[in-house]
Amino acid sequence: MKKLLFITLFSAVLVGCSAPAALNFTPNELQPVQPTQKINAEIKTINVSVATKEEQKGELQVGFLGNEYEQSFKSTLKSSLEESLARTAIFKDDAATKLTLIAKVLKFESPGSGVNFDTNMIMKYSFIDRNTGVSIYDTEVSSFGSVPFNYAFAGFVRATEARNRAVKENITKLIDDLKQHKFK
């Protein structure tokens, strides 16, 4: 009976520790911008990519466990950018100027192990006028994410949350930057 109880408890611990940590890159605190902060342009498409070797500004650890995780990272980042821009309503949907946002990961360093899983990120954002093909605004945004040891016992949960925090901070900084920028 004790053996059965031990096996049951041990199995429950393993199942609890193996629950996947979710990617969640959308900042929670985003609010609609003031009418004076709206940009007179419409975002038509968003593309997310990872820098080439020549463009990198550090390690690119957007994926582990193969290409499937990298695709998940990029699609989650794209969805989070779409949701964040929609929640802030910073762009006008009926504007004459139509834009493509190209978001490129230049650096994404996250340690394979550690206590806080300090994660550093640099993204390049380019807003391309779809009519002319010319970039009307480029910016690089650096961000950082970290979690304390008491956030979760399992290291992979802390690692994923540190990655989430780095991306959330990056998107928040982009939106803050856009609030101050005047598009031509």
Side-chain angles (χ1 to χ4, degrees):
M1 186 65 166
K2 287 182 181 181
K3 198 175 197 179
L4 181 60
L5 179 61
F6 174 75
I7 291 172
T8 304
L9 288 175
F10 185 71
S11 297
V13 168
L14 286 180
V15 169
C17 289
S18 66
L23 295 178
N24 177 5
F25 299 154
T26 306
N28 297 325
E29 67 281 349
L30 296 176
Q31 299 294 320
V33 298
Q34 299 297 317
T36 57
Q37 295 173 310
K38 283 192 170 282
I39 296 169
N40 192 19
E42 177 183 1
I43 299 285
K44 294 297 282 183
T45 59
I46 297 175
N47 296 317
V48 174
S49 63
V50 177
T52 64
K53 281 275 191 210
E54 296 77 31
E55 297 169 314
Q56 288 180 1
K57 296 203 172 192
E59 292 293 320
L60 282 174
Q61 300 162 335
V62 297
F64 48 84
L65 305 175
N67 196 31
E68 183 177 320
Y69 189 85
E70 181 179 328
Q71 290 304 324
S72 175
F73 179 92
K74 292 188 324 188
S75 67
T76 303
L77 178 53
K78 180 181 178 188
S79 295
S80 294
L81 283 167
E82 289 170 348
E83 182 178 345
S84 297
L85 293 173
R87 286 166 82 192
T88 59
I90 196 163
F91 289 96
K92 295 181 180 179
D93 287 339
D94 58 352
T97 303
K98 309 297 184 200
L99 302 175
T100 294
L101 169 56
I102 298 175
K104 187 172 287 193
V105 183
L106 301 177
K107 175 181 178 180
F108 199 75
E109 292 180 350
S110 188
S113 63
V115 177
N116 298 329
F117 290 93
D118 296 344
T119 302
N120 292 288
M121 178 179 202
I122 300 174
M123 289 282 296
K124 179 178 181 181
Y125 297 99
S126 297
F127 294 85
I128 311 295
D129 184 322
R130 292 172 63 96
N131 189 40
T132 64
V134 174
S135 178
I136 61 171
Y137 182 62
D138 292 308
T139 187
E140 284 186 14
V141 178
S142 298
S143 58
F144 175 77
S146 182
V147 294
F149 181 75
N150 65 354
Y151 178 82
F153 176 74
F156 70 91
V157 173
R158 291 193 315 277
T160 300
E161 181 58 23
R163 295 163 73 86
N164 288 342
R165 290 179 182 188
V167 180
K168 285 178 182 181
E169 180 181 303
N170 201 280
I171 291 172
T172 299
K173 284 183 170 183
L174 170 67
I175 301 235
D176 289 344
D177 190 50
L178 289 173
K179 289 177 186 176
Q180 305 305 316
H181 182 73
K182 301 295 181 203
F183 278 73
K184 295 176 184 176

